[in-house]
């Protein structure tokens, strides 16, 4: 098969920096982690989190993810490392390639959960922030397959076919030199998924893990058809590769999560991290009730005291409703209410204006002073001692323009 144009493969999978070998696969993984942490950190801060939190949690998530990815690969492709003619030590040679994304995400999520728990953060909120960064890390990581000349697709003569050296070709097609660059297909698909998640997150305000679930669902769709094109050794179940079945199950789980989560917990988290910055809107939230005018417990004694003072120093001679305020000056009616048990004769009901009896001597006035603000209580303490037996009626009459010698009124009888 003659191909006019193709994508060349690297002549070597590593670059030597003096005595230190720099492997292309490892370099792609490192760059992917850097991008994931960088973008995830920016998105976390934009959601109200603190700078550095994503990196701190990544210290837990990344090692767990690497171990999980390697375990999934070794378990599902155990024939490559165990059995006759195989060296089991090769299972530890992670730099030679072989990371299963399914195991990396699963165990990486466990590491992230540990890190989040130590910081008092909900894992779904963290997952939403780092989702686009993770899929971009996958896009970069796939170029490690290009360095290792692995995980390519079926033979093809398309202009973008990938040139594979004879040492890396399948045993079934040793004479075919060009294959589908599935690593490139998946890399481009991952970039599209990252853009989709970023757009959908801004457009629909995804929260509570739904942005991460969207990433998972979208990725599995592309992984299904890319996996179907690959020709590397893999276990088959019911005529399909194991990873195809995994993609189907994970896709259904992600879609179900989006639907159920949207019903139970719509919207996005208002606060993603405790102590999320100085002067943040979330930090000021507890003070909102006071701004809305709701009573504050500390203010209750002051309010009660102010009310008492205001009630006891009214402009109309510190009198309550009805105390000397009647137009006809019948102050005695309010001053000596029978309900308070006071004496009716001593509560400012003197028939002679010259009477020297003080309203404070009445039994009812004494009770009014002890009870606080009885209806129709007698003259206030500061006014009562200074006025004559004319009572509140004479004092009130003076304020309303009546003469102090207005006609005497009969006091109410019990």
């Amino acid at each position: 098969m003659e191909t006019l144009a193709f994508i060349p493969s690297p002549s070597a999978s590593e670059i030597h920096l003096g005595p230190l070998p720099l492997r292309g696969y490892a370099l792609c993984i490192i760059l992917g982690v850097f991008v994931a942490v960088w973008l995830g950190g920016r998105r976390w801060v934009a959601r109200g989190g603190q700078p550095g939190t994503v990196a701190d949690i990544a210290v837990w998530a990344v090692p767990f993810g690497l171990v999980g990815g390697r375990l999934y690969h070794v378990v599902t492709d155990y024939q490559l490392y165990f059995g006759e003619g195989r060296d089991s030590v090769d299972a530890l040679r992670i730099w030679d390639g072989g990371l299963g994304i399914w195991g990396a995400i699963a165990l990486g999520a466990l590491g992230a959960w540990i890190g989040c728990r130590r910081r008092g953060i909900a894992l779904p909120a963290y997952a939403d922030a780092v989702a686009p960064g993770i899929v971009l890390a996958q896009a970069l990581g796939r170029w490690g397959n290009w360095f290792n000349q692995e995980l390519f697709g079926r033979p093809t003569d398309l202009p973008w076919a990938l040139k594979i050296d004879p040492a890396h070709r399948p045993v079934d097609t040793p004479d075919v030199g060009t294959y589908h660059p599935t690593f490139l297909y998946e890399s481009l698909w991952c970039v599209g998924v990252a853009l989709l998640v970023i757009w959908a997150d801004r457009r629909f305000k995804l929260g509570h893990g739904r942005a991460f679930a969207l990433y998972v669902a979208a990725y599995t769709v592309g992984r299904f058809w890319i996996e179907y094109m690959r020709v590397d050794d893999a276990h088959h179940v019911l005529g399909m590769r194991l990873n195809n079945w995994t993609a189907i199950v994970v896709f259904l789980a992600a879609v179900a999560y989006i639907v159920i989560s949207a019903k139970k917990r719509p919207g996005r988290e208002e606060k993603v991290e405790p102590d999320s910055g100085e002067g943040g809107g979330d930090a000021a939230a507890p003070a909102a009730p006071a701004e809305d005018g709701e009573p504050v417990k500390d203010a209750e004694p002051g309010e009660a005291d102010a009310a008492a003072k205001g009630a006891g120093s009214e402009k109309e001679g510190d009198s309550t409703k009805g105390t000397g305020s009647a137009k006809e000056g019948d102050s005695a009616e309010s001053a000596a209410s029978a309900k308070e048990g006071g004496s009716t004769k001593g509560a400012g009901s003197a028939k002679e204006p010259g009477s020297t009896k003080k309203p404070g001597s009445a039994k009812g006035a004494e009770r009014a002073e002890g009870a606080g603000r009885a209806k129709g209580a007698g003259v206030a303490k500061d006014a009562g001692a200074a006025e004559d037996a004319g009572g509140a009626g004479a004092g009130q009459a003076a304020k309303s323009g009546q003469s102090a010698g207005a006609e005497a009124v009969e006091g109410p009888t019990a």
Side-chain angles (χ1 to χ4, degrees):
M1 183 182 298
E2 190 68 26
T3 304
L4 298 178
F6 56 84
I7 299 173
S9 292
S11 57
S13 61
E14 62 185 20
I15 302 173
H16 288 272
L17 300 177
L20 180 65
L22 180 61
R23 301 183 180 275
Y25 189 88
L27 178 62
C28 293
I29 297 297
I30 293 172
L31 288 176
V33 170
F34 175 80
V35 170
V37 172
W38 171 77
L39 181 57
R42 288 176 60 90
R43 286 171 52 81
W44 182 254
V45 172
R47 285 173 174 250
Q50 298 180 14
T53 296
V54 169
D56 291 343
I57 296 176
V59 172
W60 291 88
V62 172
F64 273 75
L66 292 175
V67 172
R70 189 61 176 177
L71 283 176
Y72 182 89
H73 169 71
V74 171
V75 170
T76 56
D77 291 315
Y78 60 88
Q79 72 280 0
L80 301 176
Y81 307 100
F82 305 100
E84 186 177 355
R86 301 291 182 178
D87 186 359
S88 58
V89 177
D90 290 342
L92 302 177
R93 298 172 63 88
I94 191 173
W95 53 85
D96 287 336
L99 289 175
I101 188 60
W102 316 111
I105 295 298
L107 212 57
L110 175 60
W113 176 79
I114 294 174
C116 287
R117 188 174 179 83
R118 291 169 59 89
R119 297 289 293 254
I121 295 171
L123 178 61
Y126 180 84
D128 284 340
V130 301
I134 290 177
V135 71
L136 284 179
Q138 291 177 237
L140 291 170
R142 276 304 172 196
W143 284 84
N145 302 141
W146 176 63
F147 278 100
N148 289 346
Q149 298 191 46
E150 61 183 0
L151 306 184
F152 43 83
R154 296 189 294 268
T156 183
D157 59 352
L158 292 172
W160 56 83
L162 177 64
K163 182 71 173 181
I164 299 297
D165 295 336
H168 301 282
R169 295 172 187 173
V171 294
D172 298 337
T173 56
D175 298 330
V176 178
T178 55
Y179 300 82
H180 277 284
T182 51
F183 85 91
L184 180 61
Y185 298 160
E186 185 168 340
S187 180
L188 294 175
W189 182 266
C190 287
V191 172
V193 171
L195 295 177
L196 171 65
V197 173
I198 292 173
W199 170 82
D201 194 27
R202 291 177 178 176
R203 174 67 176 80
F204 302 105
K205 303 296 182 184
L206 301 177
H208 302 286
R210 288 187 289 276
F212 185 85
L214 176 62
Y215 139 64
V216 172
Y219 170 75
T220 54
V221 172
R223 179 61 184 267
F224 182 87
W225 67 269
I226 292 170
E227 186 76 24
Y228 187 74
M229 296 178 64
R230 283 168 40 173
V231 294
D232 54 291
D233 293 334
H235 292 286
H236 287 71
V237 178
L238 300 177
M240 283 199 310
R241 293 166 65 95
L242 178 61
N243 283 335
N244 283 115
W245 287 107
T246 304
I248 292 174
V249 173
V250 174
F251 171 80
L252 294 176
V255 172
Y257 180 88
I258 293 174
V259 174
I260 296 174
S261 175
K263 291 182 178 179
K264 289 188 174 182
R265 306 186 71 181
R268 178 185 289 179
E269 299 90 343
E270 294 182 0
K271 187 174 184 178
V272 296
E273 182 174 4
D275 303 324
S276 56
E278 297 180 4
D282 294 330
E291 296 176 1
D292 295 338
E294 294 181 12
V296 181
K297 289 184 179 181
D298 293 342
E300 288 180 1
E303 290 177 0
D305 190 32
K309 290 181 179 180
S313 60
E314 293 183 1
K315 295 180 180 180
E316 297 179 352
D318 296 322
S319 59
T320 58
K321 182 179 179 182
T323 306
S325 63
K327 293 182 179 180
E328 297 179 0
D330 53 346
S331 60
E333 178 179 355
S334 301
S337 174
K339 293 181 180 181
E340 301 301 324
S343 172
T344 60
K345 292 183 180 180
S349 60
K351 294 182 179 180
E352 298 180 2
S355 175
T356 59
K357 289 183 180 180
K358 298 182 179 180
S361 63
K363 188 176 182 180
E366 181 180 354
R367 289 193 177 184
E369 180 178 353
R373 192 73 55 212
K375 181 179 179 182
V379 184
K381 290 189 291 185
D382 59 343
E387 295 190 1
D388 294 335
Q396 186 64 24
K399 291 186 179 182
S400 59
Q402 297 179 5
S403 63
E407 60 178 346
V409 293
E410 291 292 337
T413 57

